[in-house]
Amino acid sequence: MFQDEARFGRLSDPRRCWAPWPIRPLVRRALIREYVYAYAAVTPADGHLDWMLADDMAAKTMGIFLQQVAQSHSNEFVIMVLDGAPSHRSRELEIPEQMALIRLPPYAPELNPVEHLWDELREKEFANKVFDSLEAAVIQLAFGLWRLESNPAALQSLTGWQWILESS
């Protein structure tokens, strides 16, 4: 499995959009710094996604997510590939017995296919949207994660890179 976390919130993400000529599209903008953190772990071979939303990105929260993944895969030994974020290296991080962590090289997000989930969510769920509350942004994020989770074929296509599938 590959794991990563990302921050989502009310700070808007204006992007290019299409409109018929000569109409110029207007996109609202928000500069409110309220955030929620999304944790995700994906199995590229079968498109299985585990995810959790949290208020922070601390070692304790990471431990809770790892425990959730371990319970979801209780009959398996999980090898979790992740980056070197401080919460992943902390001595306070509690790693379940049926799990081993493998860290990616520093500054190499291109090796983690979960990064593509964040791109997909930002493009499909957050681009050119302004949220009236953090709760509205959380609902949108949860909907996007649920949409990805319920479509394993799309997740396989998004994360099943050849070098990953050949090594599993």
Side-chain angles (χ1 to χ4, degrees), residues 1 48 50 66-78 96-99:
M1 294 188 89
H48 181 84
D50 291 291
L66 293 178
Q67 204 54 255
Q68 175 184 319
V69 172
Q71 288 174 358
S72 175
H73 301 271
S74 59
N75 297 328
E76 305 172 49
F77 186 82
V78 177
E97 286 183 26
Q98 74 209 52
M99 188 177 290

Side-chain angles (χ1 to χ4, degrees), residues 5 27 38 42 63 72 129 160:
E5 58 279 314
V27 176
V42 67
S72 175
K129 292 186 179 159

Side-chain angles (χ1 to χ4, degrees), residues 34-118:
E34 291 181 320
Y35 303 104
V36 66
Y37 293 86
Y39 288 74
V42 67
T43 309
D46 64 6
H48 181 84
L49 175 66
D50 291 291
W51 58 275
M52 178 182 88
L53 301 180
D55 294 331
D56 59 24
M57 199 180 95
K60 183 176 181 179
T61 309
M62 179 64 178
I64 292 168
F65 179 65
L66 293 178
Q67 204 54 255
Q68 175 184 319
V69 172
Q71 288 174 358
S72 175
H73 301 271
S74 59
N75 297 328
E76 305 172 49
F77 186 82
V78 177
I79 297 174
M80 186 72 72
V81 181
L82 38 71
D83 60 21
S87 63
H88 303 170
R89 294 175 290 151
S90 172
R91 292 181 185 176
E92 298 170 12
L93 179 62
E94 294 182 22
I95 303 167
E97 286 183 26
Q98 74 209 52
M99 188 177 290
L101 304 183
I102 297 178
R103 288 183 182 80
L104 291 168
Y107 308 106
E110 68 278 2
L111 297 177
N112 193 341
V114 180
E115 297 286 349
H116 286 273
L117 297 183
W118 309 140

